[in-house]
Amino acid sequence: MPRIVIALQNDYADWEPALLMAATRYWLDCEVVTASPDGKPVISMGGLKVTPDVGFDAINAEQFDALIIPGGYAWEKGVAFDFTALATAFRDKGKVLGGICAAASALAATGVLDDVAHTGNALASHKKYPGYRGEARYVDQPQAARDGKIVTAAGSAPDTFTIEVLKALDLFGPEAEEELTMFAAEHRR
């Protein structure tokens, strides 16, 4: 059973990891663990208060199959956690690493996207980080991008982000495809 950790911080975009969390926990019987910087409750942009399972210090690439980081306003406010060590550890261990919206740009800042195809809200968002060297590998598209075990997406693509994370975890079989296809069809009407 895959173990997935969702790294939350105050003002996270609650809709970005929601479909992935439901698909993996409810339909695919994965263990989904939520984390915050200090293990204390966080409040999303939408006002959803989450009491996490662990603090970021308990996230270890040896114990999880995926690290998923949703975006939000923490980066714009200048109070976001520095994910460099965690992102590098998950990449180096060959584990799934996903960032959506502002978190995709935060991954760009860590250097883990420099050598893989990736996307995000906009190339300009990634280029705000001086350490980013992956401009040549940026894919300007509305869907999520996956290169090996690294998945990125714009905040407007939580559905394709979910699909690409499931593919990276080797969980995108007929059951997941059917559930997500029905979900997408219902929500695009």
Side-chain angles (χ1 to χ4, degrees):
M1 168 171 63
R3 293 187 79 214
I4 301 164
V5 61
I6 311 292
L8 306 174
Q9 29 189 350
N10 278 315
D11 298 317
Y12 73 95
D14 44 27
W15 64 93
E16 292 174 353
L19 180 58
L20 175 65
M21 292 173 74
T24 53
R25 184 184 158 278
Y26 187 75
W27 295 318
L28 300 171
D29 202 30
C30 297
E31 182 180 356
V32 178
V33 175
T34 55
S36 72
D38 55 8
K40 293 182 180 172
V42 292
I43 299 175
S44 74
M45 290 172 58
L48 180 64
K49 185 175 184 179
V50 174
T51 301
D53 300 303
V54 298
F56 286 174
D57 61 343
I59 299 174
N60 182 326
E62 296 284 341
Q63 298 173 342
F64 291 96
D65 299 294
L67 169 62
I68 305 300
I69 310 167
Y73 280 110
W75 287 275
E76 284 80 1
K77 291 181 174 181
V79 296
F81 184 81
D82 180 354
F83 285 100
T84 303
L86 286 173
T88 302
F90 273 76
R91 181 207 53 203
D92 291 352
K93 292 285 183 191
K95 303 294 180 91
V96 175
L97 174 62
I100 182 170
C101 194
S105 294
L107 290 181
T110 71
V112 300
L113 302 182
D114 289 352
D115 299 319
V116 297
H118 60 279
T119 192
N121 287 340
L123 178 59
S125 298
H126 291 7
K127 290 173 75 172
K128 289 179 185 175
Y129 294 97
Y132 175 59
R133 303 282 182 264
E135 183 174 351
R137 302 296 310 265
Y138 184 83
V139 180
D140 189 10
Q141 66 184 29
Q143 303 87 12
R146 177 174 52 92
D147 191 334
K149 299 282 186 177
I150 297 179
V151 181
T152 52
S156 60
D159 54 344
T160 59
F161 181 73
T162 296
I163 290 167
E164 293 304 326
V165 169
L166 293 178
K167 287 178 180 178
L169 286 165
D170 293 324
L171 293 174
F172 195 71
E175 181 180 337
E177 184 173 11
E178 180 182 336
E179 293 291 342
L180 291 172
T181 301
M182 287 184 344
F183 174 86
E186 289 173 10
H187 289 86
R188 289 195 176 138
R189 292 182 197 175

